[in-house]
Amino acid sequence: MHAQIHTIAFRGIETIAVTVQIHIANGLPAMAIVGLADKAVAESRERVRAALASIGLALPPKRIAVNLAPADVLKEGAHFDLPIALGLMVAMGVVPRDAVENALVLGELALDGAIQPVSGVLPAALAAVAAGRDLICPYDCGSEAAWADGVSIIAPPSLTGLLNHIHGRQVLHPPTPKMAPARQNMPDLADLKGQDTARRVLEIAAAGGHHLLMVGPPGAGKSMLASRLAGLLPPLSPAEALEVTMLHSVAGNLAEGGLIRNRPFREPHHSASMAALVGGGLRAKPGEISLANHGVLFLDELAEFSRVVLDSLRQPLETGSVVVARANHHVTYPARFQLVAAMNPCRCGYLGDPARACSRAPACGQNYQAKISGPMMDRFDLIIEVPEISAGTLLKEASGESSQIVATRVAAARQFGARRNQGVMRANAQIGIDQLDQQIIMDDAAQDLLRTAMDQANLSARAYHKIMRVSRTIADLAGDDRVGRAALAEALAYRAMPLLA
């Protein structure tokens, strides 16, 4: 008795077609799963046996071989349970062969026959569309899979429900696409007191997608500012929302299913390992930089991160992707995120404050800030000082603009920039080097100022390009087609490291 069921294996957000081949023959009763299966797949034997028993089916007392082809591709995860169980039912004659021969199947089985949700259903649905197949997936994942246009989906809650649907005793209605719940009560800029310069820089960072570093004493409001950046950014485009959802689906973070519509905001602790930040681990899962794709990655207490971990961000910041290398395969994840970081000027946090004079200044500040390598520091487009807030400011009522007002200006600046790209919305931080001369036109006074600044400050070529992009964003906020001297001077002011410049 033979049967085969189509499913997939994951390599990052990419999928690999896998065929579950079932062979039942005479011999000592046993069930073997072959085909480079990991521990979770090998344990499918007991889950499948118990799930079938719960619906009144017993495996035949024969030798059962389950082959996951191609055999040289590593199979990881519990989503192979359902295809194995379905293949066994086809081989046993319980399910008609033609009912499932053109379906892509994935799902984890509970011991009582319930079909549990699994990660990666959205990439699986897209793979089913590409292969021209139907999709059978867990009920809880149906709304996620429904975002793949052009696929027929069966999302049963249990093996019993699936069998009843196949035999016509019950009709399972196709799932409908669902949006992930929007974040409620997002932090608002209106709650902040003071910090006018930091507010301005936050607006520039949001309008151009620029990387931002804030340096200041404890309690100055750096974390509060960073947490409000996501509320200033424009909503995800459909393509961006799909990519973000796929990444979180592979990572197993879609607890309620549905398309993600808010830009991600990730804030890992400074004790995070390299695998947690850039991706890796046993199953080469996406890291924080990929989960922040098309969103914000906030690194608080930047100097407390391991230097090796921080330097691992240098390449993804330039390319917008990260390659997680393993002995048997390489996985590439998107990682186009906006980096926002905050740090104290020194270990005690009060360097330059005459009221809290430090006996080790300025060496303590130099040593502390030197924990961040020069090339990593060069990746920041905007570097500003966030000073301590005075008692008088704290006692006053907050009178600053709300996030909604600032977000409107940010959206207008991005729309202004889209006119240069034939209507394509793209952050200025992503302007390629080959497009700088066409996108950024400076007047003569601005060119003279930039030439002088380059000569006097010994800026790198990367810093030169970043200054040009930031000045373009400042001009967009003002509605200017050309970059003037004032916009360039403001961009230059945000490049110096505070207190030690």
Side-chain angles (χ1 to χ4, degrees):
M1 293 181 283
H2 301 270
Q4 67 176 27
I5 300 293
H6 299 285
T7 185
I8 56 169
F10 294 101
R11 182 170 292 173
I13 59 175
E14 299 176 357
T15 58
I16 302 172
V18 173
T19 303
V20 178
Q21 302 169 346
I22 308 293
H23 177 70
I24 302 178
N26 293 327
L28 293 175
M31 181 176 173
I33 299 178
V34 297
L36 205 58
D38 75 344
K39 182 69 171 173
V41 182
E43 291 172 346
S44 292
R45 284 192 304 267
E46 303 308 320
R47 290 193 295 270
V48 169
R49 194 188 306 273
L52 291 178
S54 71
I55 62 172
L57 292 176
L59 293 177
K62 296 184 178 183
R63 184 165 185 81
I64 301 172
V66 179
N67 179 43
L68 308 178
D72 60 345
V73 173
L74 180 63
K75 319 301 188 307
E76 298 176 311
H79 66 274
F80 293 97
D81 289 2
L82 185 57
I84 292 173
L86 204 53
L88 286 169
M89 288 190 287
V90 171
M92 294 161 57
V94 177
V95 173
R97 192 179 303 271
D98 59 356
V100 293
E101 63 182 358
N102 193 42
L104 191 151
V105 185
L106 73 165
E108 179 183 344
L109 290 177
L111 299 184
D112 61 355
I115 302 177
Q116 308 275 54
V118 293
S119 60
V121 170
L122 181 55
L126 296 173
V129 173
R133 302 187 186 280
D134 301 333
L135 180 71
I136 300 177
C137 68
Y139 174 81
D140 291 339
C141 301
S143 58
E144 174 188 343
W147 284 102
D149 190 28
V151 61
S152 177
I153 302 171
I154 301 174
S158 64
L159 279 179
T160 302
L162 179 58
L163 286 175
N164 289 338
H165 177 82
I166 290 174
H167 290 290
R169 295 188 294 266
Q170 177 185 355
V171 176
L172 294 174
H173 297 287
T176 57
K178 187 173 72 172
M179 300 290 289
R183 284 198 299 265
Q184 301 295 325
N185 302 319
M186 291 186 65
D188 198 303
L189 275 174
D191 301 330
L192 287 172
K193 298 180 179 180
Q195 303 298 9
D196 294 337
T197 300
R199 286 170 177 267
R200 166 66 175 171
V201 174
L202 202 67
E203 181 177 341
I204 295 170
H210 302 293
H211 305 310
L212 168 64
L213 171 62
M214 296 177 284
V215 183
K222 304 183 293 296
S223 299
M224 291 183 67
L225 285 160
S227 66
R228 283 149 177 79
L229 177 59
L232 307 181
L233 299 174
L236 290 168
S237 68
E240 290 173 338
L242 188 64
E243 187 175 67
V244 170
T245 305
M246 288 174 62
L247 282 164
H248 285 256
S249 176
V250 169
N253 292 347
L254 292 182
E256 302 180 27
L259 197 73
I260 294 176
R261 49 182 168 173
N262 294 119
R263 290 191 181 271
F265 182 84
R266 308 290 297 188
E267 43 183 340
H269 191 261
H270 60 257
S271 62
S273 65
M274 186 181 297
L277 204 61
V278 304
L282 185 61
R283 297 180 58 188
K285 288 287 191 75
E288 291 291 336
I289 63 174
S290 295
L291 297 177
N293 188 48
H294 297 308
V296 177
L297 177 69
F298 175 46
L299 302 183
D300 200 5
E301 304 296 346
L302 183 69
E304 300 299 333
F305 281 81
S306 164
R307 182 164 183 166
V308 175
V309 171
L310 284 182
D311 284 343
S312 67
L313 302 182
R314 286 156 53 178
Q315 182 259 348
L317 283 169
E318 294 295 318
T319 63
S321 63
V322 60
V323 179
V324 181
R326 290 296 177 266
N328 54 354
H329 62 271
H330 290 65
V331 178
T332 301
Y333 287 114
R336 190 166 295 282
F337 58 94
Q338 183 174 356
L339 177 61
V340 178
M343 63 178 287
N344 297 329
C346 63
R347 184 166 295 280
C348 70
Y350 298 104
L351 182 68
D353 186 345
R356 301 183 180 94
C358 177
S359 61
R360 294 178 295 166
C364 64
Q366 294 170 343
N367 294 337
Y368 190 69
Q369 295 183 16
K371 295 171 70 174
I372 305 168
S373 67
M376 181 63 199
M377 192 68 73
D378 208 30
R379 260 69 175 182
F380 287 102
D381 306 278
L382 303 160
I383 304 175
I384 63 165
E385 180 181 2
V386 181
E388 189 173 15
I389 303 175
S390 66
T393 303
L394 288 173
L395 291 172
K396 295 179 182 178
E397 291 187 5
S399 58
E401 294 177 320
S402 68
S403 292
Q404 184 177 2
I405 295 174
V406 178
T408 301
R409 289 201 299 266
V410 167
R414 292 214 178 192
Q415 288 286 355
F416 186 85
R419 296 189 310 174
R420 299 189 300 271
N421 299 312
Q422 291 74 48
V424 178
M425 293 282 286
R426 183 181 60 184
N428 288 334
Q430 299 174 17
I431 298 177
I433 295 177
D434 57 332
Q435 300 175 325
L436 285 176
D437 292 337
Q438 292 78 26
Q439 296 278 336
I440 305 172
I441 301 175
M442 296 186 177
D443 59 27
D444 293 339
Q447 291 181 4
D448 292 340
L449 177 60
L450 182 59
R451 191 177 298 109
T452 302
M454 288 291 296
D455 292 339
Q456 293 182 354
N458 294 321
L459 297 174
S460 67
R462 180 184 290 110
Y464 166 77
H465 295 142
K466 287 185 177 297
I467 290 170
M468 291 184 68
R469 295 185 183 105
V470 172
S471 64
R472 177 65 271 172
T473 299
I474 295 172
D476 286 346
L477 284 167
D480 296 332
D481 290 319
R482 285 176 171 265
V483 175
R485 182 183 175 90
L488 182 63
E490 186 176 2
L492 287 167
Y494 302 140
R495 282 295 303 177
M497 186 66 179
L499 302 178
L500 296 183

